Amino acid sequence: MSAEIAIEDGRIRATTLPNGFRVVTEHMPFVKSAALGVWVGAGSRNETLAEAGLSHMLEHMAFKGTGRRSARGIVEEIEDVGGDLNAYTDYEMTAYQARVLAEHVPLAMDIIADILRDSTILPEEIERERQVILQELGERNDMPSMVAMETLQEIAFPDQPLGRPIIGSRESVLSFDRGMIAGYLDRHYVPSRMILSAAGYVDHDAIVRDAERLFGDMPARDAIPVEPGVYAPGRRVTVKDSEQAHLVFGFDAPDSRDIEAQFRAQTAAGVLGGGMSSRLFQEAREERGLCYSIFSYADAFADAGLMTVYAATSAEQSRDLSALILDVLARTADDVTEAEANRARAQSKAGMLMALESPMRRAETLARQISLRGRPFAMNEIEAIIDSVDAASVREALRAILDGPAPSAVYLGPDGGGLPDGLADAA
């Protein structure tokens, strides 16, 4: 067993098993429940072009039966004790989660280990779930805002796994078979990429013992490296018969390797469009009535980042609103006030602390910290990083974005609208 990490007076502990499988827990003494799961460092950016959407398909298939449990048996067993199971896939991780009362943690761990290690992946279940995912894909394609945001990701990271939709395409989903799914599982679900994280009324030593029994015999193997994420500016205009025009701008931003730069970018995004008092909301909606919805945020991946501005407006106002977004960004880089930085910082801190009152959010945060940075962070460490962001550092973050590559931009909406001239064309 490798040396343990313990912080927050021992409430947060992390242990690595000999095969590289990691366990992190946070004991929350004032709750009676627990949230736990296995976060696997394999998502859509681990896929080849032919495998696009395979991580998401595997997440669905995990619940369709094991050697010991039927699909119905899995959900009945957890719901018999009042718990629930869930899962999700993103660009860099796939998570398999459970919420239970504290006394049922061993059962939840056993079920999660079972679906990860002994899923039957039957051909008839693949076909059934394929149809479910095609329906999900159709539903997403009927949501213009989501299509616009996925288009931005595609043109900002062209011809890369990081630029492809997590759900895949109709063509790729139709191509999946048992061999592809089982092969992907074998290649990417290796102990060094798997983190069991639990928060709530949990006992770290007991969870480690169960983890050793359930996952300790997995052979240690090196993880397959992912293709680097490389930002490239692009532009795409798509005419669609819809009531609203959807505008999305993307800017090259810091990745997760520099946590201070990441939080500076997040605070800058908060100043721009993080709430009703933000610059974009006040100028675009309140003062000029150019839109109903407008906001911004910053995403940080393992080796790439993207600050995004989204707005919905009319086709006739799309160019005026686009020009205003770029103008507000340029002006904000020069004249952010301490009051604005303080407000965005307070929003960031309050949002984080409120979210982390949930055991599941805490378990997820710990898993992501371990995955990205190799260790859990104490709450006061994160608060200190947020508190260090002042107006000068927000201006620095925005200036770095403006001095970097050109923005990517998407227009999706009725004929007659579009984007400002001078933006780079999409590849």
Side-chain angles (χ1 to χ4, degrees), residues 382-393:
I382 300 297
E383 288 187 73
I385 293 169
I386 294 173
D387 287 339
S388 70
V389 181
D390 58 10
S393 54

Side-chain angles (χ1 to χ4, degrees), residues 3-225:
E4 235 188 50
I5 297 171
I7 60 174
E8 299 274 18
D9 297 324
R11 286 191 307 104
I12 298 175
R13 295 169 64 187
T15 300
T16 304
L17 304 187
N19 65 355
F21 187 94
R22 289 167 288 182
V23 180
V24 60
T25 66
E26 178 170 358
H27 181 67
M28 302 171 71
F30 303 112
V31 300
K32 295 184 178 181
S33 65
L36 66 149
V38 172
W39 278 258
V40 185
S44 62
R45 70 174 303 188
N46 296 82
E47 301 160 352
T48 65
L49 180 59
E51 294 171 336
L54 194 52
S55 303
H56 179 252
M57 170 66 99
L58 176 56
E59 171 222 314
H60 278 240
M61 290 304 303
F63 295 92
K64 297 306 170 184
T66 72
R68 291 192 287 135
R69 295 175 170 99
S70 66
R72 182 166 182 166
I74 290 169
V75 294
E76 285 184 345
E77 197 167 349
I78 197 75
E79 290 182 0
D80 281 348
V81 298
D84 65 71
L85 289 169
N86 207 345
Y88 68 84
T89 307
D90 67 20
Y91 290 106
E92 298 185 311
M93 299 194 92
T94 306
Y96 303 84
Q97 308 164 316
R99 293 187 306 163
V100 289
L101 296 178
E103 60 263 34
H104 301 305
V105 165
L107 171 65
M109 286 185 61
D110 185 78
I111 292 174
I112 290 172
D114 196 24
I115 66 176
L116 287 175
R117 301 203 59 193
D118 196 26
S119 180
T120 50
I121 317 177
L122 298 174
E124 58 268 28
E125 292 291 355
I126 294 173
E127 189 54 40
R128 236 188 315 268
E129 210 55 32
R130 188 195 321 277
Q131 297 308 315
V132 171
I133 292 173
L134 290 175
Q135 294 298 327
E136 184 181 355
L137 183 59
E139 181 180 336
R140 292 166 72 93
N141 288 341
D142 282 340
M143 302 170 66
S145 59
M146 185 167 291
V147 173
M149 289 185 179
E150 286 185 345
T151 302
L152 176 74
Q153 190 83 14
E154 177 188 348
I155 65 172
F157 299 102
D159 302 316
Q160 303 168 52
L162 194 55
R164 293 196 285 266
I166 293 167
I167 198 171
S169 66
R170 181 177 178 83
E171 293 72 26
S172 63
V173 171
L174 286 170
S175 74
F176 298 154
D177 58 25
R178 190 184 192 284
M180 291 180 70
I181 297 169
Y184 184 88
L185 175 66
D186 180 67
R187 290 192 303 275
H188 294 288
Y189 280 47
V190 298
S192 60
R193 271 217 171 110
M194 302 173 77
I195 300 163
L196 193 158
S197 183
Y201 200 81
V202 295
D203 181 315
H204 181 81
D205 293 328
I207 287 179
V208 169
R209 287 194 296 271
D210 281 341
E212 287 181 299
R213 175 174 56 82
L214 296 167
F215 298 98
D217 63 333
M218 295 179 70
R221 286 188 291 150
D222 292 335
I224 300 171

